[in-house]
């Protein structure tokens, strides 16, 4: 028997650093998700009803894709039904809260509070999953925080008339972080399309119930915005996000969420003439720099197979994922 080399590292899993694929996936996911508010604004249903159609139209596509990829979603979900149910309900509540709140506050406030998962999810990684940041990751987190302040803080308006909307958007950010935590756990035993498809099924009934209780118009006269919302935001955006959750640490996923306000600001400038100031551009550059730094600080595998320097990303158990 060979003696075990002593090490001061506390990392348990010896998986190597994630490749460029998951990084590109989480970037593409946030770009796709940033188009969601545009499609919601274009829809002629209520905002929560738009969230219902986002899920309802996406579910058949996701289920067909899961079976076509031979992922065996029903068999792989054995023992995970409760987790998938709770994740679906959390995501439904997240969408309902955010869509409800965005109509009662400013766009800047809704983006600011709705993306609170940017920092909540990494905190979960630090405190619960023991994925402590390295020096490089800490610098990246500080840069991202400064970038977020420059992007959103300048235009955010805190006032009593916005309080209700602000609180609903903040609740949405907390629920989104909870959804990430639950889906990251599901991804340790399930492939991404199956996990997203089954959790999405669990979101349909709660969203329909929220829509009915709010008395919103459900049936649209124009289906194009809702179809785009389902395909781009749910199938592509959320699909790539769930894939990335199986490979990246909470810190990387959290920082990548800051891409959404950057892209959303660009969409607002292109579609509605909402000008981007110098501080907005500086904030976007800081977010980009943070993502580069956090990637450079990814864990490296030693010759003995131990991970050194950094805590480990959440990794999927199935190597095909």
């Amino acid at each position: 028997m060979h003696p075990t080399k002593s090490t001061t590292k506390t990392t348990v899993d010896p998986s190597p650093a994630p490749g460029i694929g998951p990084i590109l996936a989480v970037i593409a996911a946030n770009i796709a998700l940033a188009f969601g508010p545009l499609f919601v604004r274009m829809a002629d249903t209520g905002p929560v009803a738009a969230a219902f159609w986002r899920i309802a139209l996406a579910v058949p596509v996701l289920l067909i894709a899961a079976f076509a990829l031979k992922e065996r979603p029903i068999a792989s979900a054995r023992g995970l039904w409760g987790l998938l149910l709770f994740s679906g309900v959390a995501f439904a509540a997240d969408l309902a809260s955010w869509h409800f709140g965005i109509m009662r506050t400013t766009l800047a406030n809704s983006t600011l509070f709705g993306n609170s998962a940017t920092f909540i999810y990494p905190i979960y990684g630090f405190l619960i999953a023991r994925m402590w940041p390295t020096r490089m990751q800490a610098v990246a987190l500080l840069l991202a925080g400064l970038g977020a302040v420059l992007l959103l803080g300048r235009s955010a308006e805190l006032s009593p008339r916005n309080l209700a909307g602000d609180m609903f958007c903040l609740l949405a950010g907390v629920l989104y972080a909870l959804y990430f935590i639950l889906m990251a756990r599901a991804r340790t035993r399930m492939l991404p399309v199956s996990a997203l498809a089954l959790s999405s099924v669990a979101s349909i009934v709660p969203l329909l119930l929220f829509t009915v209780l709010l008395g919103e118009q459900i049936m649209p006269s124009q289906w194009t915005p809702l179809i785009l919302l389902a395909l781009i935001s749910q199938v592509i955006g959320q699909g790539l996000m769930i894939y990335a959750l199986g490979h990246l640490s909470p810190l990387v996923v959290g920082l990548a969420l800051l891409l959404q306000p950057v892209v959303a600001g660009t969409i607002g400038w292109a579609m509605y003439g909402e000008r981007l100031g110098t501080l907005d551009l500086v904030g976007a550059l800081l977010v980009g720099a943070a993502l580069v730094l956090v990637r450079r600080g990814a864990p490296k595998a030693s010759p003995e197979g131990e991970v050194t320097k950094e805590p480990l990303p959440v990794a999927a158990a199935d190597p095909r994922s």
Side-chain angles (χ1 to χ4, degrees):
M1 178 179 294
H2 297 286
T4 302
K5 184 179 178 179
S6 61
T7 177
T8 58
K9 307 299 184 275
T10 58
T11 304
V12 177
D13 190 343
S15 302
I20 192 64
I23 298 292
L24 293 177
V26 79
I27 291 173
N30 281 284
I31 292 174
L33 289 168
F35 281 85
L38 173 65
F39 299 138
V40 172
R41 184 179 293 186
M42 293 169 60
D44 57 4
T45 64
V48 180
F52 162 75
W53 286 115
R54 163 179 170 167
I55 302 298
L57 293 173
V59 161
V61 178
L62 291 169
L63 288 173
I64 291 171
F67 283 107
L69 293 170
K70 300 181 180 179
E71 290 191 5
R72 302 177 62 203
I74 305 302
S76 64
R78 188 176 297 118
L80 297 175
W81 289 109
L83 189 65
L84 293 168
L85 174 62
F86 282 122
S87 66
V89 172
F91 189 57
D94 158 52
L95 288 179
S97 297
W98 190 80
H99 285 196
F100 187 79
I102 198 173
M103 306 301 293
R104 289 160 176 79
T105 187
T106 65
L107 183 61
N109 284 25
S110 67
T111 309
L112 174 65
F113 293 114
N115 280 283
S116 58
T118 293
F119 299 103
I120 296 173
Y121 189 51
I123 289 172
Y124 155 79
F126 301 155
L127 300 181
I128 306 300
R130 303 299 185 190
M131 296 180 178
W132 301 103
T134 62
R135 187 177 293 107
M136 186 74 76
Q137 288 180 327
V139 171
L141 190 58
L142 289 175
L143 283 178
L146 179 58
V149 169
L150 292 177
L151 279 167
L152 302 170
R154 184 171 60 87
S155 57
E157 179 186 355
L158 300 178
S159 66
R161 74 173 182 273
N162 294 329
L163 182 61
D166 292 342
M167 292 299 99
F168 274 104
C169 291
L170 180 60
L171 174 61
V174 174
L175 291 167
Y176 200 32
L178 174 61
Y179 170 73
F180 278 169
I181 292 169
L182 295 172
M183 290 302 290
R185 293 183 178 181
R187 281 284 285 116
T188 62
R189 292 171 54 187
M190 293 185 70
L191 292 171
V193 179
S194 294
L196 179 59
L198 295 182
S199 67
S200 297
V201 170
S203 299
I204 293 178
V205 173
L207 280 171
L208 180 59
L209 180 61
F210 293 149
T211 302
V212 172
L213 290 176
L214 292 171
E216 292 187 357
Q217 177 182 337
I218 299 177
M219 295 304 300
S221 58
Q222 296 291 330
W223 285 96
T224 301
L226 297 175
I227 292 173
L228 291 174
L229 181 65
L231 293 179
I232 294 178
S233 293
Q234 190 65 16
V235 175
I236 298 175
Q238 208 60 42
L240 290 173
M241 183 69 75
I242 298 306
Y243 165 78
L245 280 178
H247 296 272
L248 301 176
S249 70
L251 177 60
V252 177
V253 174
L255 293 184
L257 289 175
L258 286 173
L259 287 173
Q260 288 190 47
V262 174
V263 178
T266 304
I267 295 171
W269 168 72
M271 298 292 295
Y272 302 105
E274 299 174 357
R275 294 183 59 187
L276 296 175
T278 302
L279 291 180
D280 296 309
L281 298 176
V282 172
L285 290 175
L286 288 176
V287 170
L291 289 173
V292 171
L293 288 178
V294 81
R295 166 61 187 160
R296 288 184 61 187
K300 297 176 177 61
S302 68
E304 290 80 12
E306 295 172 348
V307 174
T308 62
K309 296 187 179 180
E310 294 208 25
L312 195 60
V314 177
D318 192 316
R320 297 172 298 157
S321 62

